[in-house]
Amino acid sequence: MLMTKEPAIQSRCAEEDIDLVRLLFVTQSGAVRAQTVDTAKLDEAIENGTTVSQLIQMYNAVGRRNKDGHLTTVGEVRLRPDPDTFRALPYAERTGVMFCNIQTLDGNPWTIDARSSLRSFSRTLESKGLSPRVSFESEFHLFERNPEGGDQTIGSPGAYLTESTRETHGTILRAIDALEEQDVVVEKYHPEYAPGKHEIVTGHQFGLRAADEHVLVRETVDSVARSDGYRATFLPRPFDNATNGCHLHVSLWDGETNQFYDSGDGSLSRIGKQFIAGVLEHAPALTALAAPTANSYARLRPQNGAAGYVCWGQENREALVRVPALKAGDQSGNSLRLEFRGADNAVNPYLCLLGLLGAGYDGVDRGLEVPEPLSVDPGNLTAEERSKKCVERLPRTLGQALDELESDDVLRDVLGDALFETYVQVKRSHWRQFAYDSAQSWEMEHLRSVY
């Protein structure tokens, strides 16, 4: 019988007939991992944690280990479930879930754990009256697997197209119902331009919870799609002429006051502008955290429904940082926020959000001046016009972005040396493997007839 010291968890497991609990964590590669414990062992897991090899953090996105990395086959850490995150999983029979912080064997926070690092940095911001409030927009594609090749997307092309909404209504409805059963507020859903592409927008949450909910969206959408005979992919560029982004909406709060809102003139405040200035200054390095795979850069291009240039603008959807219009009737400024458009769903959401907050806070801390907002599509400007406006191109490859990250001392300080170095090692492994494998396949396919 379950004897956990968390009576609410004990009651829910008994009432909802939960026998298994998945202990979730996210690696440097952005992959969601889990250990599963029987509820009879849940008390022990909450109290003492459950061990896992530290080596799992050194595997890249395709599951290959960086053998030159500083984490080896020797060494374990502990997954410590966070009781506040317990939920029943409506799509998995008799199963619950909890998010984990990772600790060393002596009970200290593991400096390589991005969730623990985000929690610590969020608390630092809260102590300064700058509590982060965040929402994720998650784009994904529904498709059918074809054993003979040529996976087929499900739905008609066209943004907001009602036909596409109708074609996959049942699956989307079940996914939204499952999210809301997990206390994830779904504010908006709509089909996107490419066939089979959809977007779910979750409600704003303070700090860590927003990143946790993003993981729940990924897990839930994929699980529900599989139960309906489909597959879901959040890959940045999953098919030709198709992309998936992950836009982050961020504001900073002091109690009930939105620090990004200037009540005097009803617009973006000084702190908001400084935050944007920090994001723009660190944008090339931040891209390595926000667009973390080689595939990401097939999406992150000008005039491709994603940001290609380092700039910001009011309601400008081709800018890296967009300031959306206030909601109708908002007299308090509570809806004022910035939207960071350079991220995709291959991210470790804790790490990406940590980097974004760290970059923005550097702008606030140093009192950086924001450039003039851009009111046009930067892709329509000439190179000379962009140069005059100091609008630079974002990194074009993961390799370039990693070069920028390694030279950014502010982001290194925000992440801490151990997390910073581990992430770079894993992503360098990813980039080397992509360069080697793609060069071989591309040469064989394209140069065979030339030589």
Side-chain angles (χ1 to χ4, degrees), residues 184-347:
V184 177
V185 175
V186 177
E187 289 198 342
K188 184 171 65 173
Y189 152 75
H190 63 84
E192 279 279 10
Y193 179 77
K197 182 177 178 180
H198 304 268
E199 177 180 301
I200 286 178
V201 183
T202 56
H204 289 253
Q205 299 290 352
F206 282 103
L208 200 60
R209 178 165 176 168
D212 286 343
E213 290 190 355
H214 175 66
V215 176
L216 291 176
V217 169
R218 286 173 53 183
E219 290 287 291
T220 300
V221 167
D222 186 53
S223 297
V224 171
R226 287 172 184 260
S227 70
D228 283 1
Y230 301 146
R231 296 292 296 274
T233 179
F234 291 82
L235 187 69
R237 188 173 176 85
F239 304 100
D240 290 340
N241 303 313
T243 64
N244 288 319
C246 176
H247 303 159
L248 279 72
H249 292 250
V250 179
S251 53
L252 298 178
W253 290 67
D254 184 3
E256 299 297 318
T257 304
N258 184 356
Q259 296 295 295
F260 278 8
Y261 181 69
D262 186 336
S263 58
D265 60 12
S267 64
L268 191 66
S269 69
R270 176 179 56 85
I271 288 177
K273 292 176 181 177
Q274 291 171 342
F275 190 97
I276 291 174
V279 171
L280 296 182
E281 174 152 315
H282 297 284
L286 184 58
T287 303
L289 304 177
T293 68
N295 179 271
S296 299
Y297 296 83
R299 166 188 173 267
L300 206 61
R301 297 179 297 165
Q303 300 181 320
N304 193 44
Y309 294 99
V310 180
C311 58
W312 78 285
Q314 302 278 351
E315 305 168 37
N316 189 340
R317 295 179 183 272
E318 278 293 327
L320 178 65
V321 177
R322 178 177 78 102
V323 178
L326 289 176
K327 291 183 178 179
D330 180 8
Q331 302 298 320
S332 63
N334 287 349
S335 64
L336 197 147
R337 64 203 185 276
L338 67 82
E339 177 189 34
F340 179 77
R341 298 177 59 82
D344 62 53
N345 294 287
V347 296

Side-chain angles (χ1 to χ4, degrees), residues 145-206:
R145 296 304 304 264
N146 184 348
E148 299 179 359
D151 294 338
Q152 181 64 48
T153 54
I154 305 300
S156 302
Y160 310 108
L161 190 68
T162 56
E163 182 179 354
S164 182
T165 301
R166 296 193 301 271
E167 288 167 338
T168 54
H169 173 72
T171 298
I172 295 298
L173 182 61
R174 281 184 283 277
I176 291 174
D177 284 347
L179 286 168
E180 293 183 340
E181 284 186 53
Q182 297 169 79
D183 295 322
V184 177
V185 175
V186 177
E187 289 198 342
K188 184 171 65 173
Y189 152 75
H190 63 84
E192 279 279 10
Y193 179 77
K197 182 177 178 180
H198 304 268
E199 177 180 301
I200 286 178
V201 183
T202 56
H204 289 253
Q205 299 290 352
F206 282 103

Side-chain angles (χ1 to χ4, degrees), residues 6 22 56 58 132 265 318 358 378-379 391 422 431 449:
E6 301 293 335
R22 295 175 186 172
I56 193 68
M58 294 306 298
D265 60 12
E318 278 293 327
V391 174
T422 304
W431 175 243
S449 62

Side-chain angles (χ1 to χ4, degrees), residues 58-85:
M58 294 306 298
Y59 284 85
N60 63 27
V62 293
R64 294 186 183 177
R65 174 166 66 96
N66 179 6
K67 297 179 181 179
D68 298 324
H70 68 280
L71 298 179
T72 69
T73 56
V74 179
E76 293 183 329
V77 288
R78 297 187 192 278
L79 302 178
R80 287 296 302 273
D82 181 346
D84 292 337
T85 66

Side-chain angles (χ1 to χ4, degrees), residues 23 25 35 45 49-52 77-81 100-102:
L23 309 182
F25 64 103
Q35 284 193 4
T50 177
T51 57
V52 64
V77 288
R78 297 187 192 278
L79 302 178
R80 287 296 302 273
C100 296
N101 296 311
I102 308 180

